[in-house]
Amino acid sequence: MIPAHFLFMHLGSQIAKDAGLVALRMQNPWIKLVDSALVVSALYHGGYGLISILNDYVGSKELRKVGAAAVIVAMLVAAGVGLKLIISI
């Protein structure tokens, strides 16, 4: 997803020089799909990493479950905000 983002947003023939051009390009459904997939992938990757760290360093099983639930909720909220922002452009 990151190479696709760079290809369409940074390396294309019309490199974005201002926010207006970026907003105009973001109205393309394909770009919205690519950026939405990038947001979901990055948040999944980050959340999975945080839960793995919790599993490695927290001894209490109950505390690991609470921490994992907190990470999952935070990632879902961040994904909701990110996707809402992408769709609203």
Side-chain angles (χ1 to χ4, degrees):
M1 298 303 358
I2 292 173
H5 171 80
F6 277 107
L7 178 66
F8 294 119
M9 295 302 287
H10 300 288
L11 301 176
S13 60
Q14 297 177 355
I15 296 176
K17 300 287 185 193
D18 60 7
L21 185 56
V22 172
L24 180 64
R25 193 177 306 171
M26 282 292 300
Q27 292 174 1
N28 181 335
W30 175 250
I31 299 298
K32 286 185 180 191
L33 180 67
V34 168
D35 284 347
S36 296
L38 183 61
V39 165
V40 171
S41 311
L43 288 171
Y44 175 80
H45 178 73
Y48 187 83
L50 288 172
I51 292 172
S52 294
I53 291 170
L54 280 173
N55 289 335
D56 288 343
Y57 291 103
V58 176
S60 168
K61 185 175 182 179
E62 292 80 21
L63 195 54
R64 283 196 308 257
K65 286 184 180 182
V66 170
V71 169
I72 290 169
V73 168
M75 294 301 146
L76 288 173
V77 168
V81 170
L83 294 174
K84 184 177 178 182
L85 178 65
I86 290 169
I87 291 170
S88 71
I89 295 177

